[in-house]
């Protein structure tokens, strides 16, 4: 089963457009339910309206939560809030949130809070750039270790990781990643998880690929790239392409 998660980013602007898009994706999710598990991660402001229309096999997700349950956090949402509006998944550590100051420690705390509320965290990891000496591997390693080091071994298999090289994300992407680059990184991430737990757990964790995924390159990240699914961003706002 392929996990296909759409990150709607900060769109659409109007609730009626969010509803109409979700209804179209709902049809797709039903059509492909034997092979593809679909999730839409939507802006928090749309969760309430969408929770009334999004039904299995489509699942609803958030795009980030506060790393703490303290009330004094104007402008933030808690894990409990998104869970109460039907989110069963939530992106954490997206590069766009990390760029606004979300740290590895914040990502680890948010992941813990989501698991406590039975929301599946989709933990985004990925290097900003690639260097010839392979230093980028250590940045991905510390992102993964920050999250898995904060959790008991029995919870690790509940995680979904999304490898999203920052240089391949969004409209300013440098270039597309190749399936070979994706495969190498997925093997590397599984090795980090296996070293911290065991091979069985490392195999059970889903690892998605995201970063300028489209209808031309998507299948290659799964077939040759060994990803368990995909996390497209902009493209997920177009139901046909999604
Ligand atoms: C994303 O937002 O997670 C993403 C991968 O964006 P895009 O597909 O638009 O590059």
């Amino acid at each position: 089963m392929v996990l296909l998660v759409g990150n709607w980013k900060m769109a659409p602007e109007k609730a009626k457009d969010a509803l109409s898009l979700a209804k179209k994706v709902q049809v797709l999710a039903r059509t492909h339910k034997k092979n593809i598990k679909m999730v839409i991660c939507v802006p928090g402001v749309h969760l309430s309206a969408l929770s009334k229309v999004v039904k299995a096999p489509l699942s609803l997700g958030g795009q980030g939560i506060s790393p703490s349950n303290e009330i004094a956090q104007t402008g933030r949402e808690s894990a409990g809030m998104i869970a109460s509006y039907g989110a069963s998944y939530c992106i954490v550590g997206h590069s766009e949130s990390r760029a606004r100051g979300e740290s590895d420690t914040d990502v680890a705390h948010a992941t813990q809070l989501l698991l406590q509320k039975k929301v599946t965290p989709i933990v985004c990891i990925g290097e900003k750039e690639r260097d010839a000496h392979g230093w980028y591997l250590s940045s991905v390693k510390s992102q993964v270790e920050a999250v898995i080091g904060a959790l008991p071994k029995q919870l690790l298999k509940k995680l979904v990781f999304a490898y999203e090289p920052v240089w391949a994300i969004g409209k300013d992407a440098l270039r597309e990643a190749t399936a070979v680059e994706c495969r190498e990184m997925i093997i590397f991430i599984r090795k980090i998880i296996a070293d911290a737990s065991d091979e069985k757990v490392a195999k059970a964790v889903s690892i998605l690929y995201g970063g300028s995924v489209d209808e031309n390159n998507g299948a290659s990240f799964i077939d040759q790239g060994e990803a368990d699914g995909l996390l497209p961003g902009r493209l997920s706002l177009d139901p046909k392409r999604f």
Side-chain angles (χ1 to χ4, degrees):
M1 181 71 88
V2 167
L3 182 58
L4 181 59
V5 183
N7 173 16
W8 285 9
K9 301 196 182 228
M10 197 175 72
E13 191 170 298
K14 298 196 170 77
K16 72 170 176 39
D17 296 330
L19 279 169
S20 132
L21 179 54
K23 282 178 188 161
K24 287 178 188 153
V25 181
Q26 178 94 32
V27 175
L28 290 173
R30 277 199 205 108
T31 313
H32 299 285
K33 71 175 178 195
K34 281 204 183 121
N35 310 312
I36 307 176
K37 163 76 196 149
M38 285 193 193
V39 181
I40 44 174
C41 289
V42 308
V45 72
H46 291 318
L47 278 174
S48 168
L50 295 188
S51 65
K52 295 180 183 91
V53 300
V54 170
K55 303 258 171 332
L58 182 61
S59 296
L60 199 53
Q63 295 181 346
I65 55 144
S66 165
S68 143
N69 279 338
E70 275 295 312
I71 186 174
Q73 295 191 68
T74 305
R76 304 296 307 263
E77 287 150 17
S78 69
M81 287 172 182
I82 66 154
S84 78
Y85 280 109
S88 44
Y89 290 81
C90 186
I91 293 172
V92 272
H94 191 280
S95 61
E96 290 157 11
S97 315
R98 290 184 190 260
R100 291 193 302 269
E102 193 174 33
S103 66
D104 280 347
T105 311
D106 293 337
V107 175
H109 287 161
T111 303
Q112 288 171 319
L113 294 171
L114 288 167
L115 289 170
Q116 281 165 17
K117 293 290 174 187
K118 312 238 174 307
V119 176
T120 301
I122 302 171
V123 184
C124 296
I125 49 174
E127 75 281 7
K128 285 194 187 131
E129 56 195 7
R130 289 213 165 187
D131 60 292
H133 307 290
W135 289 112
Y136 64 90
L137 292 168
S138 56
S139 73
V140 172
K141 189 167 188 257
S142 37
Q143 289 174 343
V144 176
E145 285 178 342
V147 170
I148 59 178
L151 293 172
K153 187 177 152 186
Q154 72 271 18
L155 287 183
L156 297 185
K157 57 179 185 305
K158 296 192 185 294
L159 297 175
V160 173
F161 279 100
Y163 171 55
E164 298 207 304
V166 181
W167 47 266
I169 300 180
K171 64 176 175 37
D172 298 324
L174 193 68
R175 62 171 174 87
E176 283 177 13
T178 65
V180 172
E181 287 167 328
C182 170
R183 183 170 175 272
E184 283 170 355
M185 199 53 104
I186 286 183
I187 293 170
F188 179 63
I189 296 164
R190 285 206 201 283
K191 166 95 173 69
I192 301 166
I193 303 170
D195 288 348
S197 54
D198 58 52
E199 293 276 341
K200 213 172 149 200
V201 172
K203 272 194 193 139
V205 172
S206 292
I207 309 179
L208 315 181
Y209 175 77
S212 300
V213 167
D214 64 24
E215 56 276 54
N216 301 315
N217 63 18
S220 72
F221 291 118
I222 293 168
D223 296 341
Q224 294 116 51
E226 291 184 17
D228 297 308
L230 301 170
L231 176 53
R234 293 155 297 163
L235 173 142
S236 65
L237 294 161
D238 178 340
K240 271 198 194 124
R241 297 184 69 198
F242 187 53

